Amino acid sequence: MPSNLAYHGPLGDIFNDHAENSAYNAYIDRPAMLELAGDVAGRRILDAGCGAGFYADALAERGASVLGLEDSAVLVEHARTRLGDRAEVRRHDLNTPLDGLADGSFDGVLCALVLHHLADRGRFLAEVFRVLRPGGWLVLSTTHPTADWQHFADSYYSEEWVDLPLPDGRHSVRLQRMNLEVFLGELLGAGFVLERLTEPRPVEAYRELDAGRYDRLAHRPTLLAVRLRRP
């Protein structure tokens, strides 16, 4: 199994510091994912791969009851500090079964920028399907296949494990490339029904912070997000 799939040790601190205000996390992915989740008031939501707790924080603020799962001990502590008693956070490797979570016990599952780090995506998607109630939704984001293709400058259809440099220039994380056919094929093959697919752009607020970078990010795909339903 590839190593370094989660933000362990100092990578967890780097991610916590970076994700709060980064263009990709704060101004592209989080707004898109929360919009796809919709009204969560009174709903039981699983934040699968909750990281430092930014999405769980927003979901709890909107009235959801949230359980966050995260494999990095460092990020678990960041999430618990950020969330306090407003959400529960447990340490868990998403490559393993979601033991202790009952069938049909969640109204929705949010999985932000995690799928491409998992070594056993099939098992994970099967477990998500199991813990969702019939009619429940999965909101999921990943790196855009076209952006990966341009970054690594090789075959668009590559499914190789690659190292993605982090903004500090000293660390990297492992991810597996997926083209669109593989990405959607795995989701539909797990039994989900696709309700919406979006290629998120930066929100307007980011233009005020960095107009030049806003224009660059608004004109090329970086991330891919979907909303799916369990029939």
Side-chain angles (χ1 to χ4, degrees), residues 30 33-34 40 43 45-70 75 78-80 82-90 110-112:
R30 277 207 298 275
M33 291 286 278
L34 293 171
V40 297
R43 303 296 185 181
I45 307 299
L46 175 64
D47 185 353
C50 68
F54 294 107
Y55 295 81
D57 190 27
L59 292 168
E61 184 177 312
R62 289 161 171 76
S65 172
V66 184
L67 169 63
L69 300 180
E70 171 58 48
L75 285 176
H78 280 299
R80 287 174 175 167
R82 177 164 286 106
L83 293 162
D85 61 359
R86 292 181 296 112
E88 180 185 1
V89 179
R90 301 179 191 171
L110 182 144
C111 182

Side-chain angles (χ1 to χ4, degrees), residues 70-135:
E70 171 58 48
D71 189 30
S72 165
V74 173
L75 285 176
V76 166
E77 290 308 309
H78 280 299
R80 287 174 175 167
T81 298
R82 177 164 286 106
L83 293 162
D85 61 359
R86 292 181 296 112
E88 180 185 1
V89 179
R90 301 179 191 171
R91 189 175 182 191
H92 184 85
D93 179 0
L94 295 179
N95 288 296
T96 65
L98 301 179
D99 293 337
L101 302 184
D103 295 359
S105 55
F106 290 90
D107 299 297
V109 175
L110 182 144
C111 182
L113 302 177
V114 172
L115 192 69
H116 46 268
H117 294 303
L118 299 183
D120 197 344
R121 296 193 301 264
R123 172 183 284 180
F124 170 70
L125 292 173
E127 283 291 275
V128 169
F129 192 91
R130 178 183 66 80
V131 303
L132 274 173
R133 64 167 177 80

